[in-house]
Amino acid sequence: MSARTTGLDARQREAVQAPGGPLLILAGAGSGKTRVLTERAATLARAIQDTAAVLAITFTNAAAEELRARLARLLGDGAHERVTVGTFHAICHRMVRAHPEQIGRSPQFTIYDADQSRRVIAAVLKEAQLGETLTARLVADQITRAKAHLVDPAGYAALAASHRARQVAEAYARYEQTLEDSDALDFDDLLGAAVALLDNDPGLARRYRARWAAVLVDEYQDTNPAQEAWLTRLGGAVPNLTVVGDPLQAIYRFRGADVGNILGFKARFPGTRVVALGRNYRSTAAIVGAAARLGAHDEGDQRVAMWTDAPSGAAVAVSAHDDEHHEARQAAVWCAALLERGTRSGEVAVLIRTRAQGRPIEDSLLLAGVAYRLLGAQGLWETAAVRDLVACLTLLCNPRDQLALGRALATQPGVGTVAIARVLGAAVDHDGDLLATCAQAHAVPRLAGAQRLGVEAFGRSLSELATGLGQRGLAATAAQTVVATGLAQRLAAQGTEHAHEQLAALRRVCRAACRYEREAQPATLTEFLAAGALAGDHDQTNDQRVTLCTLHAAKGAEWDHVRIVGLCEGLLPHHRALEDGHVDEERRLAYVGMTRARRELCLTWPRRHRGNRTRVSRFVGEAGLAPAAPAAHDVGVDVDERRAA
C-alpha cells in the first residue's frame, strides 16, 4: 500500500500506510488528524478493487464537507464514487430510507429534530397528565439515553425501579406510539433502526459489508453504544476499520457518548494496530505545555503525550476579576484591544462553560462596539417561519404527521388548539390522512363556522399542491406553498424588523430548494426535508466576527487568540459535575478549550459569581499556572485588582 506522504511526519506516515484491519489512531489536539484521515481514506480507496468503496464517517456536516473537498483534490472527479463521506445520522438515514418497510415506516417518513421531539413529548405529558411531575426536557434526555443504549420502551419499563422512572417509561411508550402514528422517526431512531436492519436481515448486512470494504470513523471518543453497535455489525468479526480519536477530548457524556468505546477498542478487536500522534502543530509551546500538564491529571490509560517544537510564544495569562460583570467587561476590552492592533476578528474567541455566562459578555461586546457571532445559535432551519413552512411541506409528502399538522394549522388565522385537537380526533375516519380530514372539515364534529372554513381552505390548498407534487418540481412547490398558506402575506403585513428577517429566511429556503433541485439526485421533497432536518450543525467558519461560544461548541475549531472565562469552582468544573463525581470530563472540557488557541491563551475567573464568593478552578493549578499581573491590554483594571493579582 502506497501513499502520498510528502509533509507527513513518521507517526502520521505510519498511520496512513498501515495495512488493512482494525487500526486505532490516537490523535492528540492539533496533531494533523484531518490530514491523516484524508490520506488514509485516499490510500485505502486506491487499493480497493472492483466496485467496493470506502466509508468515512464524521460527527458534523462541516467536517464531512471539509473531508469531501480534500478527497476530491487527492482522488479527482471520481472521489465520490470511491469514498462515501457523511455523518452517522446521514449514513443511517440513507440506509433506513432505502428499507423503510422493514422498520414499520413508509418511504415518506418524517424526521423529528430535538425541538420537535420535545414538543411531542410535552403533548404526551399533557395528555397523560404527567406534566406536573415530569418536564419535557427531562423525559427527552431519558429517552435519548435509552435509545443511545438501544433500550426500547418495554426494556426501559423493565428496568424502572422508582415511581418516577415508571412514569418516564409510560411517557416513552406513548411517545413511540405517537411517532408510529405520525409515520415519523426521531434522530436517535435513525441509529437504532439502522442497527435493527442489519440484525434482522443478514443478507442486507452482507451486501453493505461488501459495498464498503473499509470504514473510517473520526472523533471516535464521542461515539455512543448505538453507534458502536452499528459499526460492529457493519464491519463484521474482523473489520477493516480505522478509528481516530483522543480520550482527552471526550466531552459529550451528556449526549450518551461512551469514552469506553475508544478505551476498549483493542480488547474488542484483537490484533489492533495502535498509532499515537502526539506532536502538536497548532499551538505555541507555552499553550501546549499548560494543556499537557492539565491532561496528565486525566485518569484514562490511553492518553497521548502531547509535545511540540514550536517557539514558546506568550505565557498563558491568568487573571481574577471582581465578579462576572467585571470579567465580561474585561473580555470585551481584550477583544477591542486586539482588533485595534490589527488582529482579524475571525481569529478571536471568548469561550464559556454555560450559555448563561454569555449574557453579560454579549452586553459588554455590544457596548464596546465589537461585532460578534454566537456559535451554535439559531440556524436557518430553526427559525419560526421556516419551521412553519417545513410543517406545511411535510404534510404534502407525509399527511399522517400530527406534529406537522398542529404547527401548520396554527399559522392559519382563527384556528386554535381546540380546533386542531378536533381535526386530529376526526382523522381516524380518514385512516389518519390529515389533509383529507382538513379538506373535508365540514364533517369534523363541533368545528365552528369560521374555523371550519379556514381549515377546509387550508386542507384543499395543500391537497392540490400534493396532487401535482411530482410534476411541479421542488422549488416551485416550496414557493407556491409559501403563497398558498399565506405565510408570506402575513409576515409582509406586520412590517416589523423581525418579520422582515423571517421573510428573508423563507426566501433562503426557497433558494436552497432551487439549488437542491439542480444538484441533488433524487431531488424529491422528502429528501430535501430530510437534508434540512439533518443539517444540525451550522458552519460559520468564514464569518469574520469575534466568536462567543460554549466550550462544547468550540470543539473542532481553533483561533489565534482565545480567552476562557469563568474558571472557578462551580462553573468549571461545573457544580453538577462536582455533585455527580464527573470532574474528569470537566477537566477534559477545559483541555479542549485550551487547545483551541494557536498564539495566545487567557484564562480568567470571577471572585464573586451571582453574589457568592468563588475559588479559582483547580484546573488552573493542575495546568501549572498561577494568577499574574493583568496584561497590558487589560486596561481599566482597578488598583485593588492589580494588588490582588
Side-chain angles (χ1 to χ4, degrees):
M1 187 181 296
S2 63
R4 299 176 184 178
T5 57
T6 303
L8 298 179
D9 64 33
R11 288 291 188 176
Q12 292 173 331
R13 194 177 306 113
E14 180 185 355
V16 169
Q17 295 179 323
L23 172 65
L24 171 59
I25 303 174
L26 295 171
S31 62
K33 74 175 178 66
T34 304
R35 168 84 185 276
V36 170
L37 185 69
T38 306
E39 295 280 4
R40 173 75 175 165
T43 299
L44 289 168
R46 294 189 193 102
I48 289 171
Q49 304 298 318
D50 303 322
T51 58
V54 172
L55 173 63
I57 302 172
T58 67
F59 265 84
T60 68
N61 291 314
E65 286 300 322
E66 181 181 0
L67 187 55
R68 284 193 196 97
R70 291 190 182 208
L71 285 167
R73 290 194 291 271
L74 287 176
L75 296 174
D77 294 338
H80 66 283
E81 297 175 355
R82 300 163 73 180
V83 184
T84 300
V85 182
T87 64
F88 273 103
H89 288 94
I91 300 298
C92 288
H93 166 253
R94 293 185 211 172
M95 188 180 287
V96 175
R97 185 73 72 178
H99 311 278
E101 66 287 342
Q102 295 189 37
I103 49 99
R105 297 295 187 269
S106 80
Q108 289 76 40
F109 70 82
T110 307
I111 302 173
Y112 286 172
D113 63 19
D115 178 74
Q116 291 169 312
S117 294
R118 280 195 294 270
R119 289 175 184 270
V120 174
I121 291 168
V124 162
L125 294 177
K126 183 177 180 180
E127 180 184 351
Q129 297 183 329
L130 297 171
E132 293 184 1
T133 56
L134 299 174
T135 66
R137 183 174 292 278
L138 182 148
V139 174
D141 288 344
Q142 289 297 309
I143 290 175
T144 289
R145 286 183 175 274
K147 291 186 176 184
H149 288 81
L150 300 176
V151 176
D152 63 11
Y156 192 98
L159 295 170
S162 66
H163 175 64
R164 191 176 195 183
R166 287 189 288 273
Q167 287 183 313
V168 174
E170 180 185 352
Y172 186 7
R174 288 173 176 264
Y175 170 71
E176 288 298 288
Q177 187 60 55
T178 302
L179 290 182
E180 183 177 341
D181 293 343
S182 295
D183 192 17
L185 295 176
D186 64 23
F187 267 21
D188 300 311
D189 285 328
L190 294 175
L191 297 167
V195 172
L197 280 176
L198 298 177
D199 278 346
N200 299 333
D201 191 336
L204 183 66
R206 283 193 298 272
R207 291 197 295 276
Y208 274 112
R209 288 184 197 126
R211 175 180 175 184
W212 291 317
V215 179
L216 301 94
V217 185
D218 193 13
E219 303 288 6
Y220 187 69
Q221 77 279 348
D222 294 333
T223 54
N224 64 30
Q227 290 162 331
E228 173 69 10
W230 179 72
L231 286 169
T232 301
R233 286 154 176 77
L234 193 63
V238 186
N240 190 2
L241 174 62
T242 298
V243 299
V244 184
D246 180 7
L248 277 177
Q249 298 186 65
I251 59 173
Y252 292 120
R253 184 185 56 84
F254 70 96
R255 293 182 184 171
D258 184 357
V259 70
N261 288 345
I262 192 168
L263 296 178
F265 188 83
K266 285 172 59 180
R268 287 194 307 280
F269 301 107
T272 293
R273 180 186 292 262
V274 181
V275 180
L277 307 179
R279 183 178 179 181
N280 182 293
Y281 290 92
R282 175 188 299 158
S283 307
T284 63
I287 295 169
V288 170
R293 290 190 293 271
L294 177 63
H297 287 78
D298 187 75
E299 296 180 357
D301 60 356
Q302 297 226 32
R303 290 193 305 271
V304 183
M306 188 169 61
W307 63 278
T308 185
D309 58 5
S312 177
V316 176
V318 182
S319 60
H321 302 276
D322 291 342
D323 55 26
E324 66 269 31
H325 302 290
H326 187 247
E327 184 182 36
R329 289 195 296 273
Q330 288 306 121
V333 168
W334 176 77
C335 293
L338 284 170
L339 300 184
E340 287 174 8
R341 293 205 303 267
T343 303
R344 290 193 304 116
S345 53
E347 293 297 346
V348 181
V350 179
L351 308 185
I352 53 181
R353 173 61 180 87
T354 68
R355 286 192 179 277
Q357 289 174 263
R359 292 165 191 154
I361 297 174
E362 285 191 77
D363 292 343
S364 297
L365 289 171
L366 286 170
L367 286 171
V370 175
Y372 70 94
R373 57 162 179 162
L374 189 61
L375 198 64
Q378 186 183 64
L380 172 64
W381 292 85
E382 298 167 334
T383 56
V386 171
R387 284 198 179 276
D388 292 341
L389 174 60
V390 166
C392 297
L393 292 173
T394 297
L395 290 170
L396 301 184
C397 47
N398 179 11
R400 301 175 64 87
D401 192 323
Q402 299 177 15
L403 183 68
L405 181 84
R407 176 141 201 154
L409 270 184
T411 66
Q412 303 303 298
V415 180
T417 55
V418 174
I420 293 170
R422 287 172 179 165
V423 171
L424 290 173
V428 177
D429 297 331
H430 294 274
D431 296 324
D433 189 325
L434 301 171
L435 280 189
T437 304
C438 290
Q440 300 176 43
H442 58 273
V444 176
R446 294 179 299 152
L447 201 59
Q451 289 181 327
R452 178 181 61 78
L453 291 174
V455 171
E456 197 164 75
F458 171 83
R460 287 179 177 174
S461 295
L462 287 194
S463 295
E464 290 175 7
L465 287 169
T467 301
L469 192 58
Q471 293 75 38
R472 186 182 307 101
L474 177 58
T477 297
Q480 289 184 30
T481 302
V482 170
V483 175
T485 56
L487 291 174
Q489 296 92 315
R490 285 189 291 277
L491 287 170
Q494 292 176 25
T496 63
E497 182 178 350
H498 176 71
H500 285 307
E501 291 173 354
Q502 297 289 305
L503 271 172
L506 290 177
R507 284 193 289 270
R508 285 177 61 194
V509 170
C510 289
R511 287 196 297 270
C514 186
R515 193 163 55 250
Y516 190 85
E517 192 168 27
R518 288 196 311 268
E519 300 173 359
Q521 291 296 330
T524 65
L525 180 57
T526 298
E527 292 292 342
F528 175 65
L529 294 174
L534 291 167
D537 56 289
H538 311 289
D539 183 19
Q540 306 176 62
T541 53
N542 294 323
D543 191 329
Q544 286 303 309
R545 287 178 288 172
V546 167
T547 299
L548 173 62
C549 70
T550 65
L551 289 160
H552 284 101
K555 178 95 179 303
E558 57 187 75
W559 299 271
D560 280 351
H561 307 271
V562 171
R563 190 179 184 99
I564 305 176
V565 305
L567 269 159
C568 61
E569 295 288 303
L571 275 179
L572 187 64
H574 197 270
H575 67 85
R576 283 197 300 267
L578 293 171
E579 294 165 1
D580 299 340
H582 292 297
V583 175
D584 52 345
E585 184 154 329
E586 293 291 295
R587 179 181 292 108
R588 295 196 292 267
L589 192 57
Y591 173 87
V592 166
M594 292 171 68
T595 54
R596 300 310 94 195
R598 289 190 289 250
R599 295 175 53 194
E600 179 187 12
L601 175 63
C602 301
L603 311 178
T604 72
W605 63 284
R607 294 195 189 90
R608 286 184 176 274
H609 180 68
R610 295 181 177 175
N612 300 316
R613 284 193 173 277
T614 69
R615 289 183 293 112
V616 66
S617 171
R618 66 191 71 186
F619 302 148
V620 173
E622 290 179 358
L625 304 170
H633 51 262
D634 260 354
V635 297
V637 179
D638 58 42
V639 174
D640 290 339
E641 179 162 335
R642 290 184 185 275
R643 288 173 180 163

